Amino acid sequence: TRANVREITASPESVADTHEGVSGVPADALRIPVSVYAIAKDLGLPYENIRRRVKKLLDAGVCVTVDGGLVVPGATVVRQSNLDLIRETQIATENFVAEAGRFGISAAEHYQPPTPGLPRQVIRLAMNYFLDATCRSAKGLDLDVVAILVLRAINMGNITHVTHDPVLAVTYGGMEHAPPEEARRPVSVYSIGRFLQLPYETARRTVARLESRGLVRKDANGLTVPLEVVSRPEVMSGMLQLVALTETFLADLARAGMAYRPNPAPG
């Protein structure tokens, strides 16, 4: 989807040629096809792996094949299920912005009044943020995107109780003060697979690869990302890149009309 509309949506101007007159949805003739090879290269996954997944999308009618490659057509974008997803993404992003603001991370200085196209702007910005953050992290650790998502899910499971505790969140808020081993709560392969909606065997094989790299430790209690891994230079560097990417994301959202403003001015 991003490859199809990247050049069209790079401009802040409204899309003139739309799909069935729906604001913000470019006509199919404007969409730029993308190849399976290009998608596999971007995601760092084997070609055959992506080809199988694309076939499922084709069979489900989510995307179509045209001259030059693959396109997610306007008909998919305006499906009710996708419109519901856009709304859910906007709510999740609003929560993300609010939580970041409560931790003192705000881009309110970039705020501009929202336009009617805010929901679609938000989902495109969120999609870009997710893809960029995932792919950069994967490349930084020489992993594929599935492995980096599993690694993140394990780490998140280990420390979720910390991030939701006001006292612990402050205690371990700095990059140099990561939660110690005794504060980390192990998680199971089953819970990770269920959270990421991966088949159990896929999750198990991915965890095994992460174990072989020394990125995950497995014992009788479950899976943890050891403190030693979190403090590795390449991981710390990736965290700093993610911080910068997040700041850019929040600033772009603010310019689109979404920012943390505890006491916004009238109007």
Side-chain angles (χ1 to χ4, degrees):
T1 297
R2 178 163 73 167
N4 292 164
V5 301
R6 191 196 313 259
E7 294 186 15
I8 308 167
T9 57
S11 169
E13 299 297 324
S14 300
V15 178
D17 190 1
T18 62
H19 173 78
E20 296 185 353
V22 180
S23 175
V25 180
D28 289 352
L30 297 178
R31 297 171 185 267
I32 300 171
V34 61
S35 69
V36 173
Y37 173 79
I39 297 169
K41 185 176 180 181
D42 277 350
L43 297 179
L45 288 169
Y47 175 89
E48 185 58 26
N49 192 316
I50 296 299
R51 188 195 65 78
R52 290 197 305 268
R53 284 169 165 76
V54 165
K55 184 178 184 306
K56 291 181 179 180
L57 294 174
L58 290 169
D59 291 344
V62 174
C63 65
V64 296
T65 302
V66 298
D67 288 342
L70 302 160
V71 166
V72 175
T76 295
V77 179
V78 299
R79 285 182 185 176
Q80 188 57 51
S81 58
N82 194 58
L83 297 179
D84 292 341
L85 176 61
I86 290 174
R87 179 57 185 158
E88 290 174 13
T89 301
Q90 182 170 358
I91 293 171
T93 306
E94 288 171 349
N95 292 336
F96 177 83
V97 170
E99 188 167 356
R102 287 192 289 272
F103 275 99
I105 308 169
S106 173
E109 69 274 17
H110 298 289
Y111 177 79
Q112 296 179 17
T115 64
L118 176 63
R120 296 194 187 281
Q121 287 178 287
V122 167
I123 198 168
R124 284 172 183 148
L125 291 171
M127 176 174 64
N128 288 341
Y129 174 69
F130 171 75
L131 287 172
D132 289 340
T134 304
C135 291
R136 290 184 190 183
S137 296
K139 290 175 181 177
L141 291 177
D142 193 25
L143 296 169
D144 62 54
V145 293
V146 176
I148 202 69
L149 288 175
V150 169
L151 181 63
R152 282 187 177 175
I154 294 170
N155 188 60
M156 185 179 76
N158 294 162
I159 64 172
T160 293
H161 64 289
V162 172
T163 58
H164 286 84
D165 184 302
V167 176
L168 293 178
V170 172
T171 302
Y172 301 119
M175 291 184 64
E176 69 281 7
H177 298 118
E181 300 288 350
E182 60 270 18
R184 296 172 180 270
R185 295 180 178 174
V187 294
S188 67
V189 174
Y190 174 79
S191 67
I192 293 302
R194 185 175 181 183
F195 173 70
L196 293 175
Q197 299 188 43
L198 291 172
Y200 177 83
E201 188 57 26
T202 299
R204 188 197 64 77
R205 288 198 305 266
T206 304
V207 166
R209 294 203 307 273
L210 294 171
E211 279 188 274
S212 69
R213 289 278 305 275
L215 295 170
V216 168
R217 182 173 61 226
K218 183 178 181 181
D219 58 27
N221 296 316
L223 309 168
T224 56
V225 177
L227 180 60
E228 173 273 324
V229 170
V230 177
S231 59
R232 288 182 186 179
E234 64 269 28
V235 175
M236 296 292 286
S237 175
M239 288 182 182
L240 290 172
Q241 291 182 30
L242 183 57
V243 168
L245 197 64
T246 303
E247 290 174 342
T248 299
F249 177 46
L250 291 172
D252 287 341
L253 286 171
R255 282 187 282 268
M258 182 184 292
Y260 180 73
R261 299 187 303 155
N263 299 298

